[in-house]
Amino acid sequence: MALPPPPPPPPTTRKTATAGPPTPSRSHSTSPTPSSSPSSSPDDEEVVQSVVSGALPSYSLESKLGDCKRAASIRREALQRVTGRSLTGLPLDGFDYDSILGQCCEMPVGYVQIPVGIAGPLLLDGSEYSVPMATTEGCLVASTNRGCKAIHLSGGANSVLLKDGMTRAPVVRLPNIERAAQLKFYLEDPHNFDTVSMVFNKSSRFARLQSARCTMSGRSVYIRFCCSTGDAMGMNMVSKGVQNVLDFLQADFPDMDVIAISGNLCSDKKPAAVNWIEGRGKSVVCEAVIKGDVVKKVLKTSVKSLVELNKDKNLVGSAMAGALGGFNAHASNIVSAVYLATGQDPAQNVESSHCITLMESTNEGQDLHVSVTMPCIEVGTVGGGTQLASQSACLNLLGVKGAHKETPGANARRLATIVAGSVLAGELSLMSALAAGQLVKSHMKYNRSSKDVTTHAAAAASS
């Protein structure tokens, strides 16, 4: 259908006509005021009615109009009319909708605001980091900040990165178990690894195959590929490499049926023992020795109390619960907040929060040794949400924005250690609050609104 053009520009604005189909224009709105509904022109009104009637699919607005901001505005108004529900309070203006086209989000109607707080400085491996945390949970930033203070006053934390490799595990099926075993033996034969690697690595100048391990279930074979991915989190990169290998294998195994490029042995966005044991993404261990006087003055507890609580809660309690990778107090709180702030995939918080927290007395019982072991921190500093303005700014604050110019992967690896160091701070502070009996008191202070809700309720009822 023919669509009306956008409203004419102001007299001072000039436009040059170009041949070819319309392309999304760069529409950077700077208005800080949240918009509850678009100011529709007569032309926009006609498009809104077409969407409401179903004559024009909502998902096609960007390509039809050639203006991402206008498409979001029209889609928003059509949605309000169809549902009869207002989107007042969900901002529309102040966002670059072109930046998410074909990358981050389809059919946008606005954006959600999440406050970003700063914890730190976190003294880690001799450097200080101000850690951005996007959260709506009161106490979380304040608590992590207290942990950072305790670490800083004790000389800082140290980290080691044990492994760096993203995984993808397709599932294929052969006619019988003999053929399935032949495929397994072929892929795991060291003499074939160079050939398979060469095929895999064609997918990217950063992708480098590290291993391909096979697991059989009947005549099905699950092949867990692991590769380095530079500064990208790497899911797309490893998937392309896997597809290359599967196509290559068809020559020698024409009877191989590819069931799915992901057979869940990867394992992505799900708690899984394979990740806990073998790791996925970045495997990091972080430690600190907290001085006894810091434990007493800053954390308001004792070394003995923390060691005892960690055993009873994080170790025994988690075991009693049948926890899988959850031998910690609240690692996912810190991981989620940092992920949201820095443009990571928030769903990968599931496996990225696998963590075991250990605490023991040291220096003849005077000080506290605390560590976190996190085998699957999945982060990147390029691609996905990392290129959005707000998230990019948070990465820049940490000094890990974009790809490392000299050592591919260095920025992503550094971000992973910062995540682990932040978790260490969060674990230290929450465990101290629990040991001192401060948890409920602090949450009542920081995680409850001070507004008179009865007054607000009465005003709402009378309006």
Side-chain angles (χ1 to χ4, degrees):
M1 62 177 292
L3 295 177
T12 56
T13 303
R14 294 184 180 181
K15 285 190 176 180
T16 303
T18 58
T23 56
S25 61
R26 288 286 170 183
S27 46
H28 300 269
S29 172
T30 57
S31 171
T33 305
S35 173
S36 59
S37 61
S39 53
S40 300
S41 68
D43 291 331
D44 283 354
E45 178 60 29
E46 184 178 338
V47 183
V48 170
Q49 291 179 8
S50 297
V51 175
V52 171
S53 68
L56 177 64
S58 176
Y59 63 79
S60 68
L61 284 171
E62 281 78 6
S63 61
K64 293 289 186 181
L65 298 175
D67 186 328
C68 292
K69 169 65 183 301
R70 185 182 176 212
S73 177
I74 289 172
R75 180 181 296 112
R76 178 192 184 98
E77 179 61 23
L79 179 64
Q80 292 183 122
R81 295 185 189 183
V82 170
T83 63
R85 302 285 185 178
S86 172
L87 289 176
T88 299
L90 181 70
L92 174 69
D93 295 328
F95 188 81
D96 179 11
Y97 291 92
D98 297 287
S99 67
I100 63 173
L101 182 64
Q103 296 187 80
C104 298
C105 181
E106 299 75 43
M107 298 190 289
V109 295
Y111 58 97
V112 172
Q113 296 168 306
I114 304 178
V116 176
I118 298 297
L122 170 67
L123 181 55
L124 176 67
D125 298 325
S127 298
E128 291 186 345
Y129 300 95
S130 296
V131 183
M133 302 176 67
T135 182
T136 56
E137 180 182 346
C139 277
L140 180 58
V141 177
S143 179
T144 307
N145 189 66
R146 182 174 75 150
C148 289
K149 180 180 180 180
I151 292 172
H152 202 292
L153 290 174
S154 299
N158 299 312
S159 70
V160 291
L161 188 138
L162 304 177
K163 187 179 180 182
D164 181 7
M166 181 48 64
T167 62
R168 174 60 86 196
V171 53
V172 300
R173 183 171 298 154
L174 282 297
N176 51 60
I177 61 172
E178 182 179 0
R179 287 291 286 163
Q182 288 173 0
L183 174 62
K184 172 181 169 64
F185 297 149
Y186 174 85
L187 286 171
E188 294 183 345
D189 186 340
H191 294 93
N192 298 326
F193 184 78
D194 287 344
T195 301
V196 174
S197 294
M198 183 177 64
V199 173
F200 184 98
N201 296 347
K202 288 180 180 179
S203 62
S204 167
R205 60 194 178 102
F206 297 110
R208 293 295 178 268
L209 184 64
Q210 297 173 352
S211 64
R213 299 179 181 177
C214 299
T215 300
M216 281 180 56
S217 176
R219 59 193 180 101
S220 296
V221 183
Y222 296 79
I223 315 165
R224 194 173 194 257
F225 292 89
C226 182
C227 79
S228 58
T229 57
D231 282 303
M233 182 272 288
M235 284 300 301
N236 291 335
M237 194 183 300
V238 67
S239 295
K240 291 177 183 177
V242 167
Q243 188 62 58
N244 286 348
V245 174
L246 293 176
D247 294 341
F248 168 78
L249 290 174
Q250 292 286 352
D252 289 329
F253 296 89
D255 51 352
M256 180 183 74
D257 184 16
V258 178
I259 305 301
I261 197 168
S262 174
N264 271 10
L265 193 66
C266 312
S267 177
D268 189 40
K269 301 180 177 72
K270 292 168 283 292
V274 68
N275 291 340
W276 178 238
I277 296 169
E278 296 190 6
R280 188 172 195 255
K282 278 72 173 166
S283 299
V284 181
V285 182
C286 189
E287 70 172 356
V289 175
I290 309 301
K291 298 177 181 178
D293 62 336
V294 174
V295 172
K296 181 178 180 180
K297 295 177 182 178
V298 176
L299 301 177
K300 311 299 182 183
T301 186
S302 67
V303 171
K304 181 179 178 181
S305 296
L306 282 172
V307 172
E308 187 71 16
L309 175 62
N310 189 73
K311 181 194 70 174
D312 290 341
K313 173 182 168 65
N314 288 341
L315 303 183
V316 177
S318 296
M320 294 291 288
L324 177 59
F327 293 85
N328 60 80
H330 70 148
S332 63
N333 253 339
I334 291 85
V335 172
S336 292
V338 177
Y339 273 27
L340 289 172
T342 58
Q344 310 306 312
D345 187 339
Q348 289 185 320
N349 167 66
V350 175
E351 62 267 38
S352 295
S353 295
H354 280 358
C355 171
I356 182 167
T357 300
L358 298 177
M359 295 183 181
E360 56 186 312
S361 61
T362 188
N363 297 331
E364 298 182 349
Q366 298 301 308
D367 302 327
L368 176 74
H369 181 277
V370 54
S371 67
V372 292
T373 301
M374 305 181 69
C376 5
I377 301 178
E378 299 165 353
V379 292
T381 57
V382 297
T386 66
Q387 51 86 34
L388 298 178
S390 299
Q391 290 82 344
S392 179
C394 290
L395 288 170
N396 188 57
L397 176 65
L398 292 171
V400 295
K401 176 182 175 181
H404 195 280
K405 295 181 180 180
E406 299 176 357
T407 308
N411 279 350
R413 289 191 289 270
R414 173 48 52 180
L415 178 58
T417 62
I418 293 172
V419 170
S422 302
V423 168
L424 184 73
E427 290 287 277
L428 189 59
S429 185
L430 176 57
M431 291 294 287
S432 297
L434 288 168
Q438 298 171 335
L439 182 65
V440 174
K441 181 179 179 180
S442 61
H443 271 268
M444 291 303 293
K445 179 179 180 180
Y446 293 106
N447 206 19
R448 290 290 183 272
S449 173
S450 59
K451 295 179 180 179
D452 187 340
V453 293
T454 58
T455 302
H456 281 266
S462 61
S463 61

